[in-house]
Amino acid sequence: MFEQFLEIAFEAELDTSEHPELMALAPELCGEHPATRAAAIQELRDMVYGTWDPNEYPVEDLVKTGMAIMEIGTRSPKMQILGGTCIVDLEGVTLKHAATLTPTIAYQIVCMMGLAHPCRLKSAHVVNNNWFLGTFVYLFKRFIDPKTWKRIHFHGHDLKSLQQHIDPECLPVRYGGTCRNHVTIATWLEKIRKYRDEKFDKEMKEIGYIIKE
């Protein structure tokens, strides 16, 4: 039964139609109004084109993967309006990994969190972070406005702290939750490839992605 539900859910994930019940929530949750939508989109385009220099900010594979996921996810009006919650699990990260966290990479990550991307981040939760993470926190904080910074929470290894922000019913077992109906990124991308159509390919090509036929 879950597998059937999962197939329906993934197929619906690529639905970009604007449902009336979501449109009614748009003004309240993300300040979007039909009368100002076109101007807001143009303003975003102007911001992305006047400030992004691919020669100055080379994109690493990890950042490219994250960006592709964000681009696909925000195609859906549901995601644009309701937004999402992000859990960043740093288990197994060592000083060797942390040494790659340059200001450029930090800036690119922050951009994916909404600085230069039309996504609505409800909150971000960093778990299993080690003591040395504090050394690099200022790299992110310098790029993030105070309002957004308040949505970022560091829990360390305290799962009870995480559960105060996210209902255990929505968390997988590894985070002390009871949700078993979750999928990996690999499965998600596999389903995207399965249900993609000509419109999806066209839109992704228009924003610069190479689509394999």
Side-chain angles (χ1 to χ4, degrees):
M1 180 64 71
F2 173 66
E3 289 297 326
Q4 294 177 345
F5 172 78
L6 193 61
E7 292 298 318
I8 295 174
F10 275 114
E11 187 173 8
E13 197 70 24
L14 295 182
D15 178 15
T16 58
S17 58
E18 298 182 342
H19 300 282
E21 62 273 19
L22 289 176
M23 293 301 100
L25 293 174
E28 176 185 353
L29 296 182
C30 56
E32 178 181 320
H33 299 273
T36 60
R37 178 187 294 178
I41 291 176
Q42 187 59 50
E43 181 181 356
L44 174 66
R45 287 173 176 165
D46 293 341
M47 179 186 69
V48 173
Y49 292 148
T51 60
W52 184 53
D53 184 352
N55 294 322
E56 184 178 358
Y57 300 111
V59 183
E60 302 293 339
D61 288 345
L62 184 61
V63 178
K64 288 194 294 185
T65 301
M67 193 63 185
I69 292 171
M70 296 297 295
E71 294 283 7
I72 295 172
T74 52
R75 289 180 70 252
S76 168
K78 175 182 66 176
M79 183 63 71
Q80 294 171 14
I81 295 172
L82 299 181
T85 297
C86 174
I87 298 178
V88 181
D89 191 339
L90 298 182
E91 182 177 8
V93 173
T94 65
L95 284 172
K96 182 178 180 180
H97 297 109
T100 65
L101 190 61
T102 64
T104 297
I105 296 298
Y107 179 75
Q108 292 172 345
I109 294 174
V110 170
C111 285
M112 286 194 296
M113 295 171 61
L115 181 63
H117 194 278
C119 61
R120 180 171 178 266
L121 180 68
K122 298 175 67 175
S123 62
H125 302 269
V126 182
V127 299
N128 296 322
N129 50 289
N130 293 314
W131 60 268
F132 57 78
L133 177 66
T135 307
F136 301 93
V137 167
Y138 79 94
L139 286 177
F140 292 95
K141 198 169 184 178
R142 63 185 292 192
F143 298 122
I144 302 177
D145 63 275
K147 181 179 179 180
T148 302
W149 186 254
K150 291 180 180 179
R151 301 174 186 167
I152 303 176
H153 308 275
F154 296 87
H155 303 284
H157 300 278
D158 186 356
L159 296 182
K160 293 295 183 182
S161 175
L162 176 64
Q163 293 163 16
Q164 291 178 2
H165 294 268
I166 304 177
D167 193 313
E169 292 185 356
C170 299
L171 289 171
V173 176
R174 67 176 298 175
Y175 299 130
T178 58
C179 179
R180 297 181 181 275
N181 299 332
H182 60 277
V183 298
T184 64
I185 290 297
T187 300
W188 185 78
L189 290 174
E190 178 184 342
K191 298 300 182 179
I192 293 297
R193 285 194 292 269
K194 178 179 179 180
Y195 291 110
R196 68 184 238 209
D197 53 18
E198 291 184 3
K199 180 180 179 182
F200 174 85
D201 288 355
K202 180 176 181 293
E203 290 179 353
M204 296 303 287
K205 288 178 180 178
E206 286 178 348
I207 57 178
Y209 287 92
I210 298 176
I211 304 297
K212 293 183 179 180
E213 304 296 338

